[in-house]
Amino acid sequence: MNFLIVGVGASIGAFFRNELTLIQAKIKIDFPIITMLINISGAIILGILTAQIRNGAILLLLGTGFCGGFTTFGTFNMELSQLWFQHQIWRCFWYFVLTYVFGILGFVIGIHI
């Protein structure tokens, strides 16, 4: 039964990620800002959920499911690779650093909200 709970949450998270990713195509920024913001906000949300929710099924739905479907390690790595192979080394570096630093800080802040 847990796989259904996680699957529903992941589907909803992926839907929202897709909708936000479509914004990236509309704004002409030569930096994957939307993916970075999705991953940072997902870390904050996961921190809040981890600190506040004690019900295992709800945490599976929203934490593992929604946050897992919403955030994206694969897209993050693809975009890092694209920046690297386009010889945009500083953008690649800053994307990596900002995503991880603010992702970790976001999770910690989320736990303490």
Side-chain angles (χ1 to χ4, degrees):
M1 185 57 119
N2 287 347
F3 70 94
L4 290 175
I5 294 170
V6 172
V8 168
S11 297
I12 296 167
F15 169 79
F16 281 105
R17 180 183 71 226
N18 182 65
E19 293 300 305
L20 291 171
T21 301
L22 295 175
I23 296 170
Q24 183 76 39
K26 294 179 183 176
I27 57 176
K28 302 298 180 193
I29 299 175
D30 196 20
F31 188 81
I33 189 75
I34 298 299
T35 304
M36 187 175 77
L37 293 174
I38 287 169
N39 288 334
I40 293 168
S41 64
I44 294 169
I45 293 167
L46 186 58
I48 292 169
L49 295 172
T50 301
Q52 301 295 322
I53 295 179
R54 298 293 172 238
N55 182 310
I58 294 174
L59 195 55
L60 279 175
L61 175 72
L62 298 176
T64 305
F66 178 82
C67 289
F70 182 62
T71 60
T72 172
F73 190 69
T75 301
F76 170 65
N77 284 303
M78 178 196 66
E79 291 169 346
L80 276 174
S81 298
Q82 287 173 339
L83 291 170
W84 180 266
F85 289 120
Q86 293 169 358
H87 304 287
Q88 297 181 34
I89 306 304
W90 282 110
R91 283 193 178 143
C92 179
F93 171 78
W94 283 112
Y95 183 37
F96 177 84
V97 169
L98 292 172
T99 298
Y100 274 102
V101 168
F102 286 110
I104 292 167
L105 286 174
F107 183 81
V108 171
I109 289 168
I111 286 176
H112 293 351
I113 288 181

